[in-house]
Amino acid sequence: MSVSALVPRQPVPALSLALVGGGRFVLGADPAERFDLIVFYRGLHCPICAKYLIELERLAPEFAKRGVAIVAASSDDAERAQAMATKVNAQSVRFGHGLSLASARQWGLYISTSRGTTSIGIEEPALFSEPGVFLVKPDATLYYGAVQTMPFARPAFQDLLGAIDFAIAKDYPARGEYVGAV
């Protein structure tokens, strides 16, 4: 099966996830004022994800000031997602769980196989998705997307805030939309 990238200004795949603490995140059902920020993370087994999500939680009020709602999502089950939310002391970031690998692939995420127990002593799932960060407009079209094949070198959330400020101030359109012949 091939992996394909999402196209800016085009609709993103459907996304419906159970949330830690109850309820569901259904993309488009209650869109944020400006963007939904969807942060796909590898799972509880990933110490780099925890550090990344701690930074996201720290900056969550800044995203909210800009009309951005956040959900962190993984294919972890409810128990592991709750453990990650607890680990990062989530107060503002919502944690979705149960992401199917088929859905992860629709979002253009890479899938990895387990290498056993990680450096923090937690078993990796047999299969799991690698990270991705997406800004989705209220009309459910892609504004920004970044996917990684590894857990490191992800977009910095402080930089993303600056980019959002620029996009708002300049009414900057999503780029990378051209899909014609080259």
Side-chain angles (χ1 to χ4, degrees):
M1 179 173 262
S2 65
V3 176
S4 60
L6 300 182
V7 178
R9 302 185 196 173
Q10 297 300 312
V12 296
L15 186 62
S16 177
L17 299 167
L19 291 170
V20 166
R24 292 195 74 75
F25 171 78
V26 179
L27 184 62
D30 185 23
E33 176 190 352
R34 289 214 168 87
F35 300 108
D36 281 300
L37 172 58
I38 303 167
V39 178
F40 293 102
Y41 69 99
R42 301 170 84 221
L44 179 63
H45 65 275
C46 178
I48 298 169
C49 293
K51 183 179 176 187
Y52 195 57
L53 294 169
I54 287 168
E55 179 67 359
L56 179 60
E57 177 64 33
R58 184 182 76 77
L59 292 172
E62 293 301 315
F63 282 102
K65 286 179 191 174
R66 291 159 173 85
V68 179
I70 304 168
V71 66
S74 76
S75 55
D76 276 350
D77 62 20
E79 184 178 331
R80 285 172 67 114
Q82 176 63 66
M84 181 61 96
T86 299
K87 183 182 280 194
V88 304
N89 193 27
Q91 304 296 313
S92 300
V93 175
R94 297 169 293 168
F95 277 77
H97 55 86
L99 173 71
S100 74
L101 295 177
S103 181
R105 184 151 283 154
Q106 287 178 327
W107 279 82
L109 302 178
Y110 293 91
I111 309 296
S112 289
T113 57
S114 178
R115 293 185 42 113
T117 302
T118 64
S119 62
I120 58 172
I122 298 174
E123 187 78 17
E124 291 182 347
L127 295 172
F128 58 91
S129 65
E130 291 296 336
V133 176
F134 297 89
L135 286 173
V136 179
K137 293 178 66 171
D139 65 0
T141 60
L142 180 65
Y143 185 77
Y144 166 88
V147 296
Q148 286 75 47
T149 62
M150 296 281 200
F152 19 83
R154 302 181 203 191
F157 291 121
Q158 191 67 53
D159 292 346
L160 193 54
L161 283 168
I164 289 168
D165 288 342
F166 177 85
I168 291 168
K170 303 294 184 185
D171 194 25
Y172 197 76
R175 302 309 309 265
E177 76 287 357
Y178 181 76
V179 294
V182 291

